[in-house]
Amino acid sequence: MKKTLIASICAASLVGGLAVTATAQRGDRGAERLERVDTDGDGNISMAELEAQKAERFSNADANGDNLMSFAEFEAHIDAEKALREAERRQRRFERLDANGDGFVTAEEHAASGDERMERRFARVDTDGDGVISEAEREAAKAKMQKRRGSRRGRGFRGGE
């Protein structure tokens, strides 16, 4: 059981490590990941660097340092990674809101944020262009979202049930 768990973690780490190269082209976050794995800074990920990253991830997850990872340690490690990603996402979102970069979001900055995106979404749902989203338009948008996302029943559309 322990060998299977460790093998699964190593495989996931390998896949995640290889995906770093692809995500590096998507923006700063990908570039940061690439830099963490690319310890010699040559812009490439070697198998040795990937193995070192896997060993580091295991070591970080093995909280008590006994070279064995319990399920509790595994869960704690995954939860910590999720919390870090969420904190980074919130930081990026705040920085987008803070248009002048002063570390504060004014009412004007908040009001101006996302207007274009919100207007595009509204227009996409307001299919008859009358400036009002009817119940039928809301239901049609919800059905379209459900179809696009498959079995994840309309998650993301906050129009009510």
Short mmCIF file of all heavy atoms in Angstrom, two decimals, residues 6 28 69-70 79 97 133 139:
data_model
loop_
_atom_site.label_atom_id
_atom_site.label_comp_id
_atom_site.label_asym_id
_atom_site.label_seq_id
_atom_site.Cartn_x
_atom_site.Cartn_y
_atom_site.Cartn_z
N ILE A 6 3.42 5.93 -2.69
CA ILE A 6 4.64 6.65 -3.04
C ILE A 6 4.83 6.66 -4.56
O ILE A 6 5.16 7.69 -5.15
CB ILE A 6 5.85 6.04 -2.32
CG1 ILE A 6 5.73 6.31 -0.82
CG2 ILE A 6 7.16 6.61 -2.87
CD1 ILE A 6 6.72 5.56 0.04
N ASP A 28 3.74 34.42 -16.25
CA ASP A 28 4.71 34.47 -15.15
C ASP A 28 4.64 33.25 -14.24
O ASP A 28 5.66 32.77 -13.77
CB ASP A 28 4.48 35.72 -14.32
CG ASP A 28 4.82 36.98 -15.09
OD1 ASP A 28 5.59 36.91 -16.05
OD2 ASP A 28 4.30 38.03 -14.70
N MET A 69 5.60 8.32 3.99
CA MET A 69 4.53 9.31 3.94
C MET A 69 3.22 8.64 4.31
O MET A 69 2.78 7.73 3.62
CB MET A 69 4.41 9.93 2.54
CG MET A 69 3.41 11.05 2.49
SD MET A 69 3.11 11.75 0.85
CE MET A 69 4.68 11.72 0.09
N SER A 70 2.64 9.09 5.38
CA SER A 70 1.33 8.59 5.78
C SER A 70 0.26 9.31 4.97
O SER A 70 0.52 10.36 4.35
CB SER A 70 1.10 8.84 7.27
OG SER A 70 0.97 10.22 7.52
N ASP A 79 -3.23 19.86 1.00
CA ASP A 79 -3.98 21.01 1.51
C ASP A 79 -3.11 22.26 1.56
O ASP A 79 -3.56 23.36 1.22
CB ASP A 79 -4.55 20.72 2.90
CG ASP A 79 -5.67 19.70 2.87
OD1 ASP A 79 -6.21 19.41 1.78
OD2 ASP A 79 -6.01 19.18 3.96
N LEU A 97 -7.10 44.43 -9.39
CA LEU A 97 -8.04 45.45 -8.91
C LEU A 97 -7.33 46.77 -8.60
O LEU A 97 -7.86 47.84 -8.86
CB LEU A 97 -8.78 44.97 -7.66
CG LEU A 97 -9.82 43.89 -7.83
CD1 LEU A 97 -10.27 43.37 -6.47
CD2 LEU A 97 -11.00 44.39 -8.63
N ILE A 133 -32.07 40.35 -18.86
CA ILE A 133 -31.93 38.89 -18.96
C ILE A 133 -33.21 38.27 -18.41
O ILE A 133 -33.51 38.38 -17.22
CB ILE A 133 -30.70 38.39 -18.18
CG1 ILE A 133 -29.43 38.95 -18.81
CG2 ILE A 133 -30.67 36.85 -18.16
CD1 ILE A 133 -28.16 38.61 -18.06
N GLU A 139 -32.14 30.46 -18.22
CA GLU A 139 -32.21 29.00 -18.30
C GLU A 139 -31.43 28.49 -19.51
O GLU A 139 -30.76 27.46 -19.43
CB GLU A 139 -33.66 28.52 -18.33
CG GLU A 139 -34.39 28.67 -17.01
CD GLU A 139 -33.73 27.89 -15.88
OE1 GLU A 139 -33.25 26.76 -16.10
OE2 GLU A 139 -33.68 28.43 -14.75
#
